[in-house]
Amino acid sequence: MSDKRVIIVGSDSSDDSHQATKWAMHNLYHDGDEIHLVHCFQPLQPAVGPHFAYTPTEDEQANWRKQQAHVLEEDMKVAKQLNDKVHFKAVLIAGDPRDEMVPYAEKNEASSIVVGNRGRGAIKRAFLGSVSSHIIHHSPIPVVVVRPDKLKEKEAHSS
């Protein structure tokens, strides 16, 4: 395969996103491809209550962005430890991953999107929403949802 493919992997510093990165490297990546680790974060929001109002300052927003950039840097370190020959690109996006991942993938002509799955039950998914479910339903390109490693879960519960 001579053309470079772009593979988008959702990154949030969780074990599930690390599992998704590992899966993409082992199952989709070929020499010359590029894996984009995409970390989306919510900017700080104003808050209003009965006796207070709070609006984040520019410095607080900048500090929050730096903290999120650090999360992405740590994810890049983990990914590079898995295989330092893979070509990675770190991408930090301010916004909800449900709203940002698919447009980013389309803009970069990605061949696929890979995301982890927290393994929430149906009730939690209904109330909290599911990033992976939203991406599956809105993406024009293939989406792979990497489920939690059940063997690791069993080992963790038995120790």
Side-chain angles (χ1 to χ4, degrees), residues 27-101:
N27 295 285
L28 293 177
Y29 182 84
H30 298 289
D31 287 340
D33 290 349
E34 187 172 79
I35 294 178
H36 291 204
L37 291 182
V38 179
H39 177 68
C40 299
F41 70 97
Q42 294 286 354
L44 297 174
Q45 300 296 315
V48 179
H51 304 289
F52 70 91
Y54 165 75
T55 302
T57 66
E58 286 183 31
D59 286 344
E60 289 171 324
Q61 289 287 15
N63 187 42
W64 178 241
R65 185 174 185 83
K66 284 180 190 172
Q67 289 176 33
Q68 297 305 307
H70 179 72
V71 167
L72 182 57
E73 287 171 22
E74 291 301 311
D75 282 352
M76 283 291 284
K77 286 180 188 174
V78 170
K80 291 279 187 188
Q81 287 173 352
L82 293 171
N83 186 339
D84 63 352
K85 292 176 178 39
V86 173
H87 184 63
F88 289 102
K89 178 179 179 182
V91 180
L92 186 64
I93 300 175
D96 188 317
R98 286 175 280 244
D99 300 328
E100 303 297 337
M101 293 284 285

Side-chain angles (χ1 to χ4, degrees), residues 114-135:
V114 180
V115 292
N117 180 308
R118 298 211 192 288
R120 291 184 178 141
I123 293 174
K124 283 186 181 177
R125 250 191 338 269
F127 285 106
L128 301 174
S130 167
V131 171
S132 57
S133 179
H134 184 87
I135 291 171

